[in-house]
Amino acid sequence: MSPFRYMTIMALALALGGCGDYGSDTEPESTTSTRAPAPATTEQDAAPAGAADACPAAPTPAQTEGPYFSPGAPRKADLAQDGDGDVIVVRGAVYDAACAPAAGLRIDFWQTDADGVYDNDGFRFRGHQLTNATGGYELRTVVPGAYTGRTEHIHVKLSGDGGELLTTQLYVPGVSDQDEDSTGLFDEDNVIAPVESNGSTQQYRFDFRLP
Ligand SMILES: [Fe+2]
C-alpha cells in the first residue's frame, strides 16, 4: 500500500472516531486522560512530531522481543503510576519507511520496575498507546532497573493493521551501559536523546522509522 493511501485510510479511521482495529475506544484508559482516539496532548500537537526533518536517516534497528512480553497490556501511556522510581518522559514520532508520519499505530512499551523486576503476572510497567495524527507518542515511566546480563532498557513493539511492524528496545543515556550488557544488545542508535526542560522531570526524545 502506498504511504498516501495508508495515510488516507488512517485519517478516515481517525475521523470516524478511532482505530477500530484495536478496539481502542472501548478500552478503559488507565490514565486520567479523557477518552480520545489517540493519546494526543496539546504539547504533543504543538511539537514538530510530524516534521519531515525529524525522521531518522535510517530505519530504527530491530532488537529481540525477549521472553517477557505479555500480550493484551491495557491502554496506558503513564507507566510511572505503576511504581516508584526516577520519572522520565519520552516523546517522539513514528514514521513509515518513506518518512511519512504513521498515525494510529499501536505502541506497546514494557519494562522492569526500578529494581529490575518484570511483572509477569499482571501489567505493571506494561501498556500500549496509539500514535496521534502526526505519528506522535508520549510515554511517562520510570528509569527501569538492570537485571542479570542486561543493562537498563525499555522494550517497544509497534503494530499496525497488518500486525507487527517493529520490535526493539530503548536505552537511557547515562544509565544504560554497554559493559553491563553481556548480551551485546545495547545499541547506541537506540539511546533516547535528552531534551532540555524547565521542569523537574527529565525529558527525552526518540523517533522511530519503520523498516
Ligand atoms: Fe528485558
Side-chain angles (χ1 to χ4, degrees):
M1 184 185 298
S2 73
F4 175 77
R5 182 169 163 71
Y6 175 79
M7 291 303 296
T8 303
I9 289 172
M10 292 316 301
L12 278 171
L14 288 169
L16 290 170
C19 305
D21 290 332
Y22 305 117
S24 58
D25 278 356
T26 59
E27 290 180 46
E29 174 63 86
S30 298
T31 67
T32 54
S33 59
T34 54
R35 181 175 174 273
T41 65
T42 303
E43 189 172 359
Q44 212 171 25
D45 287 338
D53 59 0
C55 181
T60 305
Q63 296 215 312
T64 181
E65 174 179 301
Y68 301 120
F69 175 63
S70 297
R75 187 171 176 184
K76 181 171 60 175
D78 181 5
L79 305 187
Q81 66 185 297
D82 290 344
D84 295 335
D86 294 330
V87 177
I88 61 173
V89 171
V90 188
R91 294 188 186 88
V94 181
Y95 300 88
D96 67 15
C99 281
L105 293 190
R106 173 177 173 135
I107 314 181
D108 274 273
F109 291 102
W110 72 102
Q111 65 172 73
T112 68
D113 62 18
D115 294 323
V117 178
Y118 283 105
D119 177 9
N120 290 317
D121 299 318
F123 293 107
R124 286 180 60 244
F125 292 106
R126 300 172 182 274
H128 82 267
Q129 56 184 282
L130 303 176
T131 57
N132 68 16
T134 54
Y137 73 91
E138 178 178 318
L139 171 70
R140 186 171 181 271
T141 186
V142 304
V143 175
Y147 56 88
T148 306
R150 290 307 318 277
T151 192
E152 294 82 350
H153 60 281
I154 300 170
H155 291 271
V156 189
K157 185 187 290 292
L158 289 149
S159 312
D161 289 352
E164 191 174 317
L165 297 167
L166 173 70
T167 299
T168 190
Q169 301 181 27
L170 302 180
Y171 300 93
V172 184
V175 176
S176 307
D177 181 355
Q178 189 161 18
D179 295 336
E180 198 177 43
D181 210 321
S182 62
T183 61
L185 279 170
F186 177 85
D187 189 334
E188 286 285 356
D189 288 343
N190 284 14
V191 175
I192 56 179
V195 175
E196 276 193 45
S197 168
N198 293 327
S200 58
T201 302
Q202 180 61 56
Q203 320 262 323
Y204 297 90
R205 179 161 187 122
F206 191 87
D207 297 303
F208 296 91
R209 183 172 172 184
L210 300 174

